[in-house]
Amino acid sequence: MAAMVSLACGGGAESTDALGVLRDPPPGDFERIPPEPGELDPFAQNARLGRGMNIGDALEAPVEGQWGVRLQYRYFELLQETGFDSLRLPIRWSSHAAETAPYTIQPEFMARIEWAVGHALARDMPVIINVHHYDEIQEDPAGHSARLAALWRQIGEHFADYPAGLYFEVLNEPKLDPMTDAAWNAVLAESLAAIRESNPGRTVLVGGTEWNKWYTLDEVVWPEDDQNLIATFHYYEPFSFTHQGWSGGGPEGTTWGTEAEYTRLETDFAEAAAWSASANRPLHVGEFGVRNVAAIADRAAWTAAVVDQCAEHGMSFAYWDLVSNFNAYDDVKGAWIPELRAALVE
Ligand code: GLC
């Protein structure tokens, strides 16, 4: 192994190895004071998330880098400099943990997540970590519920002393039968209880089924004695437009922006907001975005329309995503796509 030569000390310092290859610097310091039970107001916690970004296709690939994205130190700097308030990190824990009890998470993977979380918290940027792409639990909820809870028990214990800026999200996009509402509620109860064993004061995000549609939030069994939760939904409507040319979307060249389409979007958000008011739970739009093959004017108009709705209804958001195929940032050019940057943070 090449010897590490540190160029400077402290957080954010970059270092090169003996061959001069740039290494990821370690995160800087942050206070390890966990939130006390009852201390956090979930609405204030949601407001802290503000305008956020997903770094997709990195830690959610079976192996980081396999889908062309590796987390980089400069992404954290970039997001903060540009004015994003928070970060959502999709993570595929299920391919980095044993298949049999006690379902031990690989220590090097845990360390990688700790590195990423540390970089966000050291710059006071709230960060959501989730369980993403746990495909097996979608196929067999009851058979994998104990394993998901065991993952959360380990994640929870590992990060138990982390500050309120670290948020947990139980499971990305519970789907459909066999992940019915009833199946999801059982899985959720077991995993939330596992989280609360070590993290009684932490803010946790929970979404509904059908890939986190807003209209399934009402089917979630919300624990009456746990107010420190933020409800989350994903918005990709109309799917034919946002996912054009991919994954069941419409043909490339599908446009967006008629009056009826704006009205539909506003109606969807009004419905979500009405649920939030009646349930007294804050709302986070954890994913929304348009594939980068769509016309930029339409992509930007749709993105701006969602951001406007979030502002109008007091919802926080995380755009999908930074550098992958819904990207707001062009990592080859090293530049934001100006229309999307404007829609998201200006
Ligand atoms: C979901 C999927 C992710 C996909 C994104 C946009 O989060 O899990 O893989 O890229 O939606 O479709």
Side-chain angles (χ1 to χ4, degrees), residues 57 60 67 88 132-133 172-173 234 236 243 246 287 320 325-326:
D57 281 14
E60 56 157 313
W67 289 357
R88 179 172 180 264
H132 210 94
H133 288 309
N172 183 63
E173 299 188 346
H234 293 177
Y236 287 112
H243 279 63
W246 186 58
E287 290 185 19
W320 188 276
N325 59 349
F326 291 63

Side-chain angles (χ1 to χ4, degrees), residues 94-128:
S94 56
S95 40
H96 299 275
E99 313 241 322
T100 51
Y103 310 108
T104 306
I105 295 169
Q106 295 162 0
E108 56 278 19
F109 190 68
M110 188 67 97
R112 180 65 174 155
I113 307 306
E114 190 181 313
W115 175 87
V117 167
H119 266 294
L121 295 181
R123 52 187 70 243
D124 226 354
M125 182 177 254
V127 54
I128 301 166

Side-chain angles (χ1 to χ4, degrees), residues 9-331:
C9 294
E14 290 185 340
S15 62
T16 53
D17 65 17
L19 298 174
V21 176
L22 191 64
R23 296 288 179 191
D24 286 336
D29 290 335
F30 55 90
E31 273 188 330
R32 303 284 177 100
I33 303 178
E36 294 290 326
E39 181 188 325
L40 299 177
D41 168 14
F43 287 89
Q45 280 290 93
N46 194 37
R48 278 186 76 186
L49 291 175
R51 296 164 180 245
M53 177 63 81
N54 281 281
I55 304 183
D57 281 14
L59 299 168
E60 56 157 313
V63 176
E64 186 184 357
Q66 204 170 32
W67 289 357
V69 184
R70 269 184 63 80
L71 286 192
Q72 304 194 34
Y73 166 65
R74 61 188 170 86
Y75 292 161
F76 297 85
E77 273 183 336
L78 176 73
L79 291 174
Q80 191 159 48
E81 279 167 15
T82 309
F84 285 94
D85 301 306
S86 65
L87 177 62
R88 179 172 180 264
L89 281 179
I91 303 170
R92 190 188 290 242
W93 296 93
S94 56
S95 40
H96 299 275
E99 313 241 322
T100 51
Y103 310 108
T104 306
I105 295 169
Q106 295 162 0
E108 56 278 19
F109 190 68
M110 188 67 97
R112 180 65 174 155
I113 307 306
E114 190 181 313
W115 175 87
V117 167
H119 266 294
L121 295 181
R123 52 187 70 243
D124 226 354
M125 182 177 254
V127 54
I128 301 166
I129 60 174
N130 77 353
V131 170
H132 210 94
H133 288 309
Y134 189 173
D135 300 335
E136 304 90 325
I137 201 168
Q138 307 278 1
E139 298 304 321
D140 181 9
H144 280 265
S145 188
R147 185 167 183 252
L148 179 64
L151 295 179
W152 276 117
R153 203 166 281 117
Q154 294 170 74
I155 301 164
E157 283 169 11
H158 192 87
F159 292 102
D161 65 350
Y162 274 53
L166 175 63
Y167 299 57
F168 294 159
E169 181 184 334
V170 181
L171 182 68
N172 183 63
E173 299 188 346
K175 295 184 178 154
L176 284 167
D177 194 18
M179 186 62 93
T180 58
D181 292 314
W184 169 226
N185 280 318
V187 166
L188 171 62
E190 189 172 358
S191 279
L192 193 54
I195 289 171
R196 290 296 181 224
E197 288 166 14
S198 55
N199 287 260
R202 189 161 311 284
T203 304
V204 176
L205 288 94
V206 174
T209 55
E210 294 190 38
W211 292 267
N212 284 158
K213 291 290 190 312
W214 68 96
Y215 51 77
T216 64
L217 286 167
D218 206 29
E219 308 303 325
V220 173
V221 176
W222 296 89
E224 274 173 34
D225 58 351
D226 196 339
Q227 286 305 311
N228 195 8
L229 302 173
I230 294 174
T232 180
F233 72 100
H234 293 177
Y235 194 76
Y236 287 112
E237 306 302 316
F239 198 78
S240 57
F241 167 65
T242 64
H243 279 63
Q244 55 188 273
W246 186 58
S247 193
E252 283 188 28
T254 301
T255 59
W256 185 85
T258 65
E259 208 180 308
E261 286 165 338
Y262 270 96
T263 303
R264 169 70 202 276
L265 189 146
E266 287 158 17
T267 306
D268 293 344
F269 273 80
E271 256 179 56
W275 174 83
S276 168
S278 70
N280 195 30
R281 303 270 179 190
L283 268 181
H284 171 71
V285 183
E287 290 185 19
F288 68 105
V290 184
R291 270 196 88 212
N292 57 16
V293 298
I296 186 59
D298 290 356
R299 273 182 95 195
W302 182 91
T303 303
V306 172
V307 170
D308 281 353
Q309 289 300 301
C310 290
E312 183 169 331
H313 296 296
M315 301 172 187
S316 62
F317 69 71
Y319 179 76
W320 188 276
D321 66 351
L322 183 64
V323 290
S324 191
N325 59 349
F326 291 63
N327 60 318
Y329 186 78
D330 184 333
D331 213 15

